[in-house]
Amino acid sequence: MIYDVTNFLTTLDYLKNWQHIALIGHDNIDWDSLGSVLAMKRWISKRFPEKKVYAYTNKKPSSIFDFLEPEIEYWENLKIADEVDLIITLDSANLERFWEFYTNNKEKFEKTSIINIDHHISNSKFWAINIVNEVPATTQLVYEILSLFDNKLAKVMWKSVFDEKIATYLLMWILTDTKNFTIPSTTSKTLKIAAELIEKWADKDLLIKNLFQSKSIEQLKLQALVIDRIEKIKKDESIWYFSYISNGDLENLWLDPEDGGLREGLVNILLEIKDANFVSLWRIKDDETSVSFRSKDDFDVNAVANKIWWGGHKNAAWAKLEWKLTKDKIKEKILEII
């Protein structure tokens, strides 16, 4: 639930009064960010049809989202429309998650009212209005916000505007960000919201087919490669498993190295290992190395990721190095940060 009443009331007031609204997802947009953007865009457009609502990200969403036919604008040098008078950022812990998109629109960001809606423990609360709460997914926050707004406005505007598409967008990213309700921050409230979304006609059969039954042979071969390369590191009482992939691996399998969705869920394979405390999957590129961290129980990978550059959640985080690492250097880096 939203705890800051002032921010809640201000957000509702802004949505009612501003006419041109931009919803912005983070760089390399993922399930949670895109779902939040699409759900909020559809809700605002239906509740306030006289308003113009834009949805932005700086790169083309992954092909795994194609079944949604997402209505979102993208290109790397994208400029926010001049008439935009309200910006809402969704699922972004800090300004760096916007990369060149922020740089290209810095003056617009500085002169426009901005609302930050996010669920990351590492959120820097970079705008004046911050709706930040550590829940399993930003979409859970969006659902709570829109439900409260919907109920409040329905009293004077006759009916709810929640429909099958909005419910489906929200349910999908709750499923993916909670890893099918397996992460520690999943609560009874999360399960209740999922049930409510199904009651609101979320298309769970569409989600099951496209989320869990649609991998290509090439993606399964990539998964096998990750498993084959798993190594174990033990330090003190902690056990860390890691693996890695490179752009060359993806190209050899005829997979697009820039399509991040094709790698979705690979790091979670390592988390299935019985005695693992921490796991990480490293992606080696020609000029940089990125890494996804996961953990079980009380092991804090957000603190680990912050030792490199970035962060996220206690049990799931991401980081990046501005240079290429070899496999041996990955081992050294893990021993350095754990």
Side-chain angles (χ1 to χ4, degrees):
M1 193 57 65
I2 309 305
Y3 296 109
D4 192 321
V5 176
T6 302
N7 283 349
F8 168 77
L9 294 175
T10 302
T11 299
L12 179 57
D13 187 55
Y14 279 18
L15 287 177
K16 288 163 63 177
N17 293 303
W18 295 117
Q19 298 304 309
H20 300 88
I21 302 167
L23 308 172
I24 304 178
H26 59 62
D27 176 63
N28 293 323
I29 198 163
D30 62 7
W31 304 98
D32 194 22
S33 186
L34 183 60
S36 299
V37 168
L38 295 178
M40 184 160 273
K41 180 184 180 185
R42 186 168 178 85
W43 185 90
I44 296 172
S45 297
K46 291 188 69 177
R47 174 58 74 195
F48 305 108
E50 74 281 4
K51 300 182 187 297
K52 175 67 175 176
V53 185
Y54 304 86
Y56 293 127
T57 186
N58 71 331
K59 293 182 181 178
K60 184 181 185 300
S62 170
S63 59
I64 62 174
F65 303 126
D66 287 351
F67 74 98
L68 291 174
E69 300 179 351
E71 297 177 1
I72 190 166
E73 297 182 55
Y74 59 88
W75 55 85
E76 293 198 7
N77 294 315
L78 183 67
K79 301 294 287 187
I80 298 174
D82 290 338
E83 62 268 26
V84 166
D85 43 27
L86 174 63
I87 294 173
I88 301 176
T89 62
L90 293 144
D91 197 43
S92 296
N94 47 49
L95 287 173
E96 285 79 7
R97 288 309 309 263
F98 301 117
W99 296 97
E100 291 88 352
F101 186 80
Y102 173 72
T103 305
N104 292 341
N105 296 277
K106 188 174 181 180
E107 185 177 355
K108 187 67 175 176
F109 274 93
E110 291 174 348
K111 293 182 177 180
T112 307
S113 298
I114 299 176
I115 299 169
N116 164 31
I117 301 175
D118 184 44
H119 74 128
H120 292 90
I121 191 175
S122 57
N123 191 284
S124 58
K125 298 185 179 179
F126 44 89
W127 303 132
I129 301 173
N130 299 286
I131 299 177
V132 178
N133 194 2
E134 190 185 357
V135 294
T138 296
T139 45
Q140 178 169 328
L141 281 176
V142 170
Y143 175 76
E144 293 176 339
I145 292 166
L146 297 185
S147 293
L148 287 168
F149 289 176
D150 213 46
N151 292 335
K152 185 176 182 67
L153 293 174
K155 295 177 181 178
V156 295
M157 301 180 78
W158 301 107
K159 64 178 181 179
S160 168
V161 296
F162 259 89
D163 62 10
E164 179 181 317
K165 276 195 172 183
I166 295 173
T168 301
Y169 292 150
L170 294 174
L171 179 62
M172 179 162 70
W173 283 278
I174 286 178
L175 287 174
T176 54
D177 245 40
T178 65
K179 308 296 182 287
N180 290 333
F181 307 110
T182 61
I183 64 172
S185 59
T186 301
T187 65
S188 59
K189 180 181 286 187
T190 310
L191 297 171
K192 181 180 179 182
I193 288 173
E196 290 174 357
L197 289 169
I198 292 173
E199 290 175 357
K200 293 180 185 291
W201 313 293
D203 191 341
K204 64 179 180 61
D205 294 331
L206 177 74
L207 299 182
I208 290 169
K209 177 181 178 181
N210 286 280
L211 294 177
F212 310 118
Q213 300 173 351
S214 295
K215 280 188 170 62
S216 67
I217 292 293
E218 290 75 19
Q219 285 175 276
L220 292 178
K221 288 181 178 179
L222 182 64
Q223 180 174 309
L225 186 62
V226 169
I227 293 172
D228 188 56
R229 290 176 174 170
I230 292 174
E231 294 194 34
K232 179 179 181 179
I233 294 175
K234 186 172 182 180
K235 184 176 180 180
D236 300 325
E237 299 302 315
S238 299
I239 298 176
W240 191 300
Y241 287 90
F242 78 93
S243 186
Y244 65 93
I245 56 174
S246 68
N247 274 10
D249 297 326
L250 295 160
E251 291 166 352
N252 290 338
L253 291 170
W254 298 97
L255 296 172
D256 181 0
E258 299 306 313
D259 191 339
L262 299 177
R263 305 185 301 276
E264 181 70 28
L266 287 176
V267 66
N268 298 317
I269 296 170
L270 282 68
L271 203 58
E272 295 179 24
I273 300 172
K274 185 176 182 179
D275 63 345
N277 303 132
F278 301 91
V279 302
S280 58
L281 178 66
W282 300 73
R283 188 210 173 176
I284 304 169
K285 300 173 71 174
D286 292 337
D287 57 353
E288 67 179 41
T289 306
S290 58
V291 54
S292 294
F293 297 104
R294 299 290 185 271
S295 68
K296 298 176 182 176
D297 305 321
D298 290 328
F299 293 92
D300 188 353
V301 289
N302 179 61
V304 173
N306 280 322
K307 293 179 181 179
I308 300 178
W309 179 43
W310 219 281
H313 308 285
K314 183 177 181 179
N315 298 105
W318 184 87
K320 186 171 77 169
L321 297 165
E322 297 290 351
W323 60 88
K324 180 179 180 179
L325 289 181
T326 63
K327 182 182 76 170
D328 290 338
K329 291 296 183 181
I330 289 173
K331 284 185 177 180
E332 291 179 14
K333 178 57 68 174
I334 292 173
L335 288 169
E336 175 188 323
I337 61 179
I338 62 175

